[in-house]
Structure formats: structure tokens, C-alpha cells
Amino acid sequence: MKKVTILLALVFSFSLLKAQSNKEEIELVQSVFGMEKKAIVAEFIKVDAAQKDAFWALYDEYETKRKELGKNRIALLEDYANNYDKLTNEKAAEWTKQVISQAAKTDDLLASYVKKISKATNPIAALQFYQVESYILSGIRVSLLEELPLPDVK
């Protein structure tokens, strides 16, 4: 769990980039995060040799799709940061709707890969994947919420 804590600390520090992010910075952050995350996943998820290739192929697919969703999440954060001072009720409602939709897409992606991993490997490996991934995603969500200022009531 120490590595997970370090990973989450890394996420916290990268969340500070949200207002200044550009495409190259986002890709760098995702690359570093992805390598650290894969090492943590390898430590916690145990599959036998016959299932190892199937698991990692699915994991890599999942990560590719998760990274795309991550880019969308960063764009939403940039939008919030850039419009925070001039936030209207309409913009707040739209932004909230997009954030909820983004979270649902991420949760749906995770659920679909839990099923695929269960079928390709075994239900225990799928549960391990779900637990580790949920822990990391929850940490990211909490860190982002801690960084976002609450809007003033107008």
C-alpha cells in the first residue's frame, strides 16, 4: 500500500497542472502515472502464467481507453479553472452534468473490463483489478475535489 500512497501523492502534485496543462504535459503526466500504476497493479494482481498474457493485454487496452477519458477530465478541469471567476448558474449546471457523465463513463469502462478480465483469467483476478483500480480512481477523484475551489453563491 505504500506504493499506492506514493502514486496518489504523485497524482496530487500533477493535479496542480490543471490550469496550465497542454497536450505534451498531459501526455508526460499520463506516461509517468501509467508506468507507476502498472507497477502497483502488478504487485497486487496475481494471475498464473497461463493467464498472465491475457490479463496484461486487457489491462493495456483498459489503460488506453482510461487515458482518453483522463484527457477529457483534464479538459473539464481546465474549463472550470478558466471560467471559475465568471461562473454562471447555467455554466455550473452544464459543467456538473459533464463531470457526472465523465465519472459514469469511467465507472462503465472499469465495469466492462472487470467482466473481460474475469472471463479471460478468473473472478479473483477481476476482483483484485477492481479493488486496486477503484482505490486509485477514488484517490484521484478526492485529490481533484480537494484542489477545486467551491464557487461562490451569486
Side-chain angles (χ1 to χ4, degrees):
M1 279 305 181
K2 185 176 181 181
K3 286 186 179 182
V4 174
T5 303
I6 292 169
L7 179 65
L8 291 175
L10 184 67
V11 170
F12 297 149
S13 64
F14 287 140
S15 69
L16 298 175
L17 290 174
K18 63 184 171 279
Q20 297 85 17
S21 292
N22 62 40
K23 186 178 178 182
E24 294 81 22
E25 288 174 333
I26 292 169
E27 289 175 6
L28 174 64
V29 168
Q30 285 187 326
S31 175
V32 171
F33 174 73
M35 289 186 295
E36 291 291 322
K37 183 173 174 246
K38 191 168 189 172
I40 291 168
V41 169
E43 186 176 320
F44 285 98
I45 298 176
K46 307 298 181 202
V47 291
D48 64 34
Q51 299 171 335
K52 193 174 187 178
D53 289 342
F55 172 79
W56 288 110
L58 287 169
Y59 176 82
D60 290 340
E61 270 181 36
Y62 169 80
E63 278 297 291
T64 298
K65 293 176 181 179
R66 185 199 56 77
K67 285 179 183 178
E68 283 305 310
L69 291 173
K71 288 177 186 176
N72 294 339
R73 180 176 36 253
I74 291 169
L76 284 169
L77 291 170
E78 287 176 338
D79 180 51
Y80 184 84
N82 293 334
N83 294 296
Y84 174 77
D85 293 346
K86 49 189 175 276
L87 194 62
T88 63
N89 287 330
E90 293 77 19
K91 181 65 179 170
E94 179 59 30
W95 190 83
T96 303
K97 180 180 172 184
Q98 289 177 359
V99 169
I100 291 170
S101 173
Q102 181 69 27
K105 288 176 186 175
T106 301
D107 292 343
D108 290 346
L109 178 67
L110 176 57
S112 73
Y113 274 84
V114 166
K115 288 178 188 174
K116 290 177 183 183
I117 290 169
S118 182
K119 187 181 275 191
T121 61
N122 63 69
I124 292 174
L127 176 58
Q128 291 170 336
F129 170 73
Y130 176 78
Q131 287 178 314
V132 170
E133 192 65 23
S134 293
Y135 184 83
I136 293 169
L137 287 172
S138 295
I140 291 169
R141 288 174 177 170
V142 167
S143 71
L144 292 175
L145 289 171
E146 288 176 343
E147 294 293 327
L148 290 177
L150 289 175
D152 293 326
V153 177
K154 296 180 181 185

